[in-house]
Amino acid sequence: MQKRVTTAARVVAACAFMIVYPSASANESADWASMTFSTINGNPQLQAQQRAVSANRYGRKAASRPLFNPELQTSVEREGVETNYQIGLSSQIDWWDVKQTRTDVAEAQFSLAEAELSALTNQLLARLVDAQLNGYLARKALALASEQVSRDYAMLSLSERQLAAGEIAQTDVAIAKAILADSLVWEGEASFAVLQAEQTLEQLGVRGMVFPAIPDAVWQDEPALLQGSDIMALPQSQVARFSWLVAKQQAANERQGNKPVPVIGLGAGKQAGEGLVSLNVSVPLQWRNDFSDANAAANEQALSAELMFKNTLQAQKSAVSLAYRNALQHRQRFQRWQQLSAGQLDQQFSVLQSRYAQGDLSMADYQNQITQLRQGKRAALALETAFKESHLTWLQVTATLPSLLTAMPAHKPGAEGTR
């Protein structure tokens, strides 16, 4: 029996990392950050948004070009013995500074595309890290379940030997089988969760790579509550803000573009043997044109976008506050659990097995106590899951992940392999 306890102690020592999240070296942190960025950079959605930014950059340059081209006008006619001719230039005049309003629209659209790229980068990073976290937690749950299955098989084998020796009743063997069945169910659920996590990673483009453990730096910083200016700087807030500015500038451009555009022309020539200089000015009267509805529609779009911007700010403020409180509470609970447990549950599994084998416990008592211990193990995993998932939510809501990964040391090759 002493040998059984010693073996269990070695198992506890080997699995100690399951209580305290794993530590990653500086090189591993760099590898993880580099591989994470590399994965999302290959995402077609992100590449499409990068193209959108590039398109708006060209659009901004195009909007700064002059609006109108001059028009060359020439005429030649014969009048008796005289040859009359005239040559001139005319052009529409940007009297209402439409070029500037058009440039303002393009500038706002470019800023919007950049904000959308920043928001998408943060979103994809959070999804990828969440998928890695789910994989880690699923593999950890599977290791715990498999360890329990091994223990239960050993207990069933012991019970069958005791039954053959006439030391226990058939009911005790049935209880041992029931305990094993419960462990097999959990092992099956955990195994399926691992497959789901792997599938999610493949959908996010993780193929042919082995990710190092998520570094401690991701979980170490205690959440902080953002204030007004910080919330305004969040990617989603910026997307809403620039969407409003785009609508606002488009409304101004609509109003300016609907105003009459004057045409000025200057010409010179000869008529009836005399020199001729002409100056022409024309302005469309637009008697039959009524742009009030078009202007009103553009103004309403701008007002709608402004209200959406205010609503987004309020929603962001609420989301940040909720994520902060939730992450802080789960961190405190998990830390308290770490201070209390210190691997004691693993030791008690072996103690219970030893007491049962020595006859100090009946199978019914063993089942009751082992069930409580297993509930404690699952609760411990649930506490870690809640802590890390809530912290990751806070990182996503506050858009901290990109800067967190960027701040990690430069990438050093050597972590690639077959997944």
Side-chain angles (χ1 to χ4, degrees):
M1 190 55 58
Q2 182 62 33
K3 181 179 180 180
R4 188 195 312 274
V5 175
T6 303
T7 302
R10 285 199 296 268
V11 172
V12 171
C15 297
F17 71 93
M18 295 180 180
I19 299 299
V20 181
Y21 45 85
S23 176
S25 66
N27 287 352
E28 289 175 334
S29 297
D31 289 336
W32 176 79
S34 177
M35 294 169 69
T36 300
F37 269 126
S38 176
T39 300
I40 68 162
N41 284 336
N43 186 285
Q45 188 179 4
L46 188 70
Q47 292 175 347
Q49 186 58 39
Q50 290 171 340
R51 293 291 185 180
V53 171
S54 179
N56 279 279
R57 183 180 293 109
Y58 285 116
R60 183 177 60 175
K61 292 180 180 179
S64 64
R65 309 295 187 201
L67 280 179
F68 308 116
N69 289 313
E71 180 180 351
L72 176 64
Q73 299 171 332
T74 61
S75 65
V76 178
E77 61 180 11
R78 185 78 174 176
E79 185 179 356
V81 296
E82 297 292 338
T83 300
N84 302 327
Y85 66 88
Q86 186 172 359
I87 184 170
L89 291 174
S90 65
S91 177
Q92 292 177 301
I93 302 300
D94 188 12
W95 188 263
W96 310 109
D97 204 8
V98 176
K99 173 187 171 182
Q100 183 59 49
T101 58
R102 187 181 69 169
T103 302
D104 292 340
V105 171
E107 187 69 37
Q109 288 174 332
F110 174 72
S111 298
L112 173 60
E114 284 193 318
E116 290 174 336
L117 177 61
S118 177
L120 181 60
T121 300
N122 179 63
Q123 176 188 347
L124 291 176
L125 279 175
R127 285 177 57 193
L128 181 55
V129 176
D130 182 61
Q132 295 177 49
L133 175 61
N134 289 337
Y136 159 74
L137 293 171
R139 288 189 297 272
K140 181 171 179 178
L142 179 59
L144 290 174
S146 298
E147 181 184 350
Q148 291 184 8
V149 168
S150 298
R151 286 196 180 109
D152 291 344
Y153 268 120
M155 284 297 298
L156 178 59
S157 177
L158 175 60
S159 300
E160 289 174 339
R161 292 197 301 271
Q162 290 176 330
L163 177 64
E167 299 175 0
I168 61 175
Q170 182 66 42
T171 304
D172 293 329
V173 176
I175 293 176
K177 291 180 179 179
I179 296 174
L180 173 60
D182 181 67
S183 296
L184 288 172
V185 169
W186 189 29
E187 185 182 40
E189 293 173 348
S191 179
F192 181 65
V194 170
L195 294 177
Q196 285 183 312
E198 291 177 349
Q199 183 183 27
T200 302
L201 285 170
E202 289 179 359
Q203 291 173 349
L204 292 173
V206 179
R207 295 183 180 88
M209 291 187 294
V210 176
F211 274 88
I214 300 178
D216 291 355
V218 175
W219 318 114
Q220 281 178 346
D221 291 340
E222 187 169 302
L225 184 60
L226 302 186
Q227 301 303 322
S229 59
D230 298 321
I231 293 176
M232 176 70 78
L234 294 178
Q236 290 298 336
S237 300
Q238 289 298 299
V239 168
R241 173 174 175 263
F242 285 116
S243 295
W244 166 49
L245 290 180
V246 166
K248 181 180 178 181
Q249 296 301 337
Q250 285 176 337
N253 188 58
E254 181 77 18
R255 291 192 300 270
Q256 300 297 83
N258 289 334
K259 292 180 179 181
V261 180
V263 178
I264 295 180
L266 180 64
K270 184 178 179 182
Q271 186 170 3
E274 299 292 335
L276 176 67
V277 176
S278 63
L279 175 64
N280 301 313
V281 178
S282 64
V283 180
L285 297 179
Q286 294 186 343
W287 284 348
R288 297 182 177 180
N289 298 112
D290 184 0
F291 297 103
S292 59
D293 291 336
N295 294 340
N299 288 333
E300 288 299 313
Q301 287 290 343
L303 291 174
S304 174
E306 182 180 8
L307 292 173
M308 289 300 298
F309 168 51
K310 293 179 179 179
N311 179 70
T312 299
L313 281 184
Q314 187 63 35
Q316 286 289 98
K317 183 178 180 180
S318 177
V320 167
S321 177
L322 176 61
Y324 163 73
R325 295 197 304 268
N326 191 44
L328 196 61
Q329 291 175 4
H330 283 300
R331 169 183 289 268
Q332 293 170 349
R333 293 189 185 99
F334 181 63
Q335 288 175 342
R336 286 200 300 267
W337 168 253
Q338 284 187 308
Q339 295 170 358
L340 291 173
S341 67
Q344 293 178 3
L345 290 184
D346 298 274
Q347 298 172 7
Q348 291 304 314
F349 279 109
S350 299
V351 170
L352 284 179
Q353 288 178 332
S354 175
R355 291 183 61 192
Y356 173 77
Q358 293 172 358
D360 295 339
L361 285 177
S362 67
M363 178 56 75
D365 291 337
Y366 173 80
Q367 181 193 29
N368 180 52
Q369 295 185 33
I370 204 73
T371 299
Q372 293 180 11
L373 285 178
R374 288 179 177 177
Q375 289 175 349
K377 293 281 282 188
R378 297 184 188 187
L381 184 58
L383 285 170
E384 181 180 4
T385 300
F387 155 58
K388 291 187 174 179
E389 287 184 345
S390 62
H391 189 81
L392 183 57
T393 299
W394 176 77
L395 290 175
Q396 179 182 5
V397 169
T398 58
T400 309
L401 265 179
S403 59
L404 183 64
L405 270 68
T406 303
M408 290 183 179
H411 170 62
K412 296 182 181 180
E416 297 183 0
T418 303
R419 183 171 169 271

